[in-house]
């Protein structure tokens, strides 16, 4: 063979693209082999233990009650699949309320940490250092056992304005009833979404225009639903009995303890994220705003925070994901979330751990991916706005 020419074997080893394809193929074969081995071993173990496999349990009657349900549910008529949806909606309710509450409280505390007021800055710092260094589980137990369970019992319920009651079994409030309740609730949610869209997406519009249009977007859907359905609701007031309270809407102490604990705990981390984002903005921006005559609050709202959001969003997304996953600690205080209802009660009754655990993990994975996608889209929109 002539000097300077490579043999076929040499050409193969020196081609980085070919080596990359070969190693990826080997890795895929190994992963598939391990997955197949695990699936086969699991199936053999289940068969040896005489444990049923498959998803036939989904349509079997559940036979157990759930303390909080956002959709219709009956222990004698609903299935395990229905119980799954009840637990999922309870988890999503806690996650949404927790994210909103932690964001608002975290932004306020993060801004307060940079305040020129010595007392406000030190109190905010103490809040962050205290809350984020205590385990979340202990905080949930504190809110549930040390705060809410010390309230009076039903006989000594605290009477609230507008006909409400507060005791160690929960908060009881007047509730709207009637055929138009569902339509009104969806209209209110649509109004909230419309107001957020006006404030966040119409950045080309002047600030005053967006502030003027946001209340219109917020009130238009509920007002339209009210006029289309007439007066769609009546009010049902809770009635205090000897051993229980009938009527109205009941807010479980487990729900209050879980949402409060998640908001307080996560807001401490959000505050640090916000503080880091604000300090990342060059001081010259603040000085330029002051030279233009803007007050500190206006400069913070119009100049500093919009620039800091590019730094804040990625770690803020992580906190949202952590809050959603931390909601699974609800099992410690008995709140009927997805883990407590589906991966707890349903698993214990059916014994089909593999299917139920896989479904539960898949749900949390989907929720996390959707949250990340929404935050990434918002981050990309901010980047496009800055380039303009």
């Amino acid at each position: 063979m002539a000097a300077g020419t490579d043999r076929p074997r040499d050409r193969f080893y020196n081609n980085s693209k070919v080596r990359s394809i070969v190693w990826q193929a080997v890795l895929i074969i190994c992963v598939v082999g391990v997955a197949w081995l695990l699936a086969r071993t699991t199936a053999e173990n289940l068969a040896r233990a005489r444990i049923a496999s498959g998803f036939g349990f989904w349509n079997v009657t559940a036979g157990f009650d759930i303390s909080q349900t956002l959709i219709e549910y009956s222990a004698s008529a609903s299935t395990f699949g229905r119980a799954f949806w009840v637990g999922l909606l309870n988890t999503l309710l806690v996650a949404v309320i927790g994210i909103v509450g932690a964001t608002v409280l975290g932004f306020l505390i993060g801004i307060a940490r940079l305040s020129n007021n010595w007392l406000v800055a030190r109190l905010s710092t103490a809040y962050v250092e205290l809350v984020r260094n205590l385990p979340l589980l202990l905080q949930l137990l504190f809110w549930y056992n040390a705060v809410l369970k010390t309230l009076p019992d039903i006989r000594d319920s605290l009477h609230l304005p507008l006909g409400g009651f507060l005791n160690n079994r929960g908060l009881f409030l007047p509730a709207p009833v009637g055929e138009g309740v569902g339509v009104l609730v969806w209209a209110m949610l649509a109004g909230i979404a419309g107001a957020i869209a006006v404030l966040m997406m119409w950045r080309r519009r002047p600030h005053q225009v967006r502030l003027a249009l946001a209340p219109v977007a917020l009130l238009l859907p509920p007002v339209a639903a009210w006029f289309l359905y007439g007066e769609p609701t009546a009010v049902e007031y809770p009635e205090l009995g000897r051993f229980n309270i009938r009527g109205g809407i009941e807010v479980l102490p487990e729900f209050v303890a879980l949402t409060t604990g998640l908001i307080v705990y996560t807001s401490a981390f959000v505050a640090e994220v916000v503080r880091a984002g604000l300090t990342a903005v060059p001081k010259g921006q603040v000085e330029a705003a002051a030279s233009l005559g803007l007050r500190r609050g206006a400069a913070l709202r119009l100049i500093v925070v919009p620039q800091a959001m590019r730094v804040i969003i990625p770690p803020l997304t992580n906190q949202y994901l952590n809050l959603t996953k931390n909601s699974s600690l609800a099992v410690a205080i008995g709140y009927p979330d997805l883990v407590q209802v589906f991966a707890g009660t349903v698993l214990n009754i059916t014994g089909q751990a593999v299917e139920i655990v896989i479904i539960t993990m898949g749900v949390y994975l989907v929720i996390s991916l959707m949250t990340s996608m929404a935050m990434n889209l918002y981050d990309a929109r901010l980047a496009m706005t800055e380039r303009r």
Side-chain angles (χ1 to χ4, degrees):
M1 183 176 293
T5 60
D6 295 332
R7 292 177 299 175
R9 184 176 180 182
D10 294 335
R11 290 198 301 268
F12 171 78
Y13 282 112
N14 293 329
N15 192 326
S16 60
K17 184 176 182 180
V18 173
R19 291 201 309 269
S20 175
I21 294 175
V22 170
W23 283 115
Q24 291 182 37
V26 171
L27 179 60
I28 292 174
I29 293 173
C30 293
V31 171
V32 171
V34 171
W36 176 82
L37 181 62
L38 290 175
R40 180 181 176 181
T41 304
T42 302
E44 292 176 352
N45 292 336
L46 291 176
R48 190 180 300 113
R50 296 181 181 181
I51 299 176
S53 60
F55 298 92
F57 70 93
W58 192 265
N59 296 319
V60 177
T61 302
F64 64 91
D65 290 317
I66 302 177
S67 57
Q68 175 179 299
T69 60
L70 300 180
I71 57 177
E72 293 184 4
Y73 176 85
S74 172
S76 59
S78 299
T79 62
F80 289 128
R82 190 72 171 181
F84 163 81
W85 292 111
V86 170
L88 175 59
L89 290 177
N90 288 343
T91 295
L92 292 177
L93 177 65
V94 169
V96 171
I97 295 177
I99 287 174
V100 173
T103 302
V104 174
L105 183 59
F107 265 80
L108 293 176
I109 296 174
I111 294 173
R113 287 203 64 183
L114 301 176
S115 174
N116 293 328
N117 187 301
W118 184 89
L119 181 60
V120 172
R122 294 302 180 275
L123 288 177
S124 302
T125 302
Y127 174 90
V128 171
E129 296 301 329
L130 173 65
V131 171
R132 72 174 182 172
N133 288 300
L134 293 177
L136 175 58
L137 180 58
L138 291 181
Q139 295 190 39
L140 295 179
L141 295 175
F142 166 78
W143 288 108
Y144 184 64
N145 293 316
V147 176
L148 297 176
K149 283 302 181 180
T150 58
L151 292 172
D153 57 18
I154 286 184
R155 294 182 180 181
D156 301 321
S157 297
L158 301 177
H159 294 258
L160 303 178
L162 303 178
F165 297 96
L166 178 63
N167 53 57
N168 56 11
R169 292 192 184 181
L171 176 63
F172 299 83
L173 300 172
V177 295
E179 297 180 356
V181 173
V183 176
L184 188 60
V185 170
W186 283 109
M188 293 174 64
L189 294 176
I192 295 174
I196 295 175
V198 168
L199 292 174
M200 303 300 295
M201 298 182 181
W202 283 18
R203 293 188 173 272
R204 291 185 177 181
R205 302 286 183 179
H207 185 67
Q208 294 80 2
V209 174
R210 285 185 285 142
L211 289 180
L213 292 178
V216 177
L218 176 65
L219 298 176
L220 183 60
V223 171
W226 183 274
F227 280 103
L228 289 175
Y229 282 85
E231 186 174 347
T233 62
V235 178
E236 179 184 62
Y237 291 91
E239 297 180 359
L240 180 61
R242 186 174 182 181
F243 299 104
N244 56 13
I245 296 178
R246 297 179 179 179
I249 183 173
E250 178 183 2
V251 181
L252 298 178
E254 293 82 4
F255 172 78
V256 176
L258 180 61
T259 53
T260 303
L262 288 174
I263 289 173
V264 170
Y265 181 76
T266 309
S267 65
F269 293 90
V270 173
E272 280 297 276
V273 170
V274 171
R275 183 188 65 83
L278 295 178
T279 54
V281 178
K283 293 184 178 180
Q285 298 290 323
V286 180
E287 295 172 355
S291 66
L292 293 175
L294 289 178
R295 294 183 178 180
R296 180 178 175 83
L300 191 67
R301 186 179 70 255
L302 300 176
I303 297 176
V304 179
V305 172
Q307 295 184 66
M309 289 303 295
R310 292 300 311 280
V311 180
I312 292 173
I313 287 178
L316 185 63
T317 303
N318 292 334
Q319 298 307 320
Y320 290 168
L321 300 181
N322 289 336
L323 186 148
T324 303
K325 291 179 289 188
N326 287 338
S327 66
S328 60
L329 291 175
V331 67
I333 57 176
Y335 176 74
D337 74 322
L338 179 63
V339 173
Q340 198 270 345
V341 172
F342 195 63
T345 306
V346 175
L347 189 152
N348 292 331
I349 294 175
T350 62
Q352 296 187 230
V354 175
E355 295 85 350
I356 291 177
V357 171
I358 289 176
I359 292 174
T360 306
M361 290 192 300
V363 167
Y364 279 100
L365 177 62
V366 171
I367 295 174
S368 298
L369 291 177
M370 292 181 64
T371 304
S372 298
M373 182 179 66
M375 295 299 291
N376 290 336
L377 290 175
Y378 178 61
D379 190 21
R381 183 173 182 83
L382 284 179
M384 292 176 60
T385 303
E386 289 185 359
R387 286 196 295 267
R388 291 171 186 170

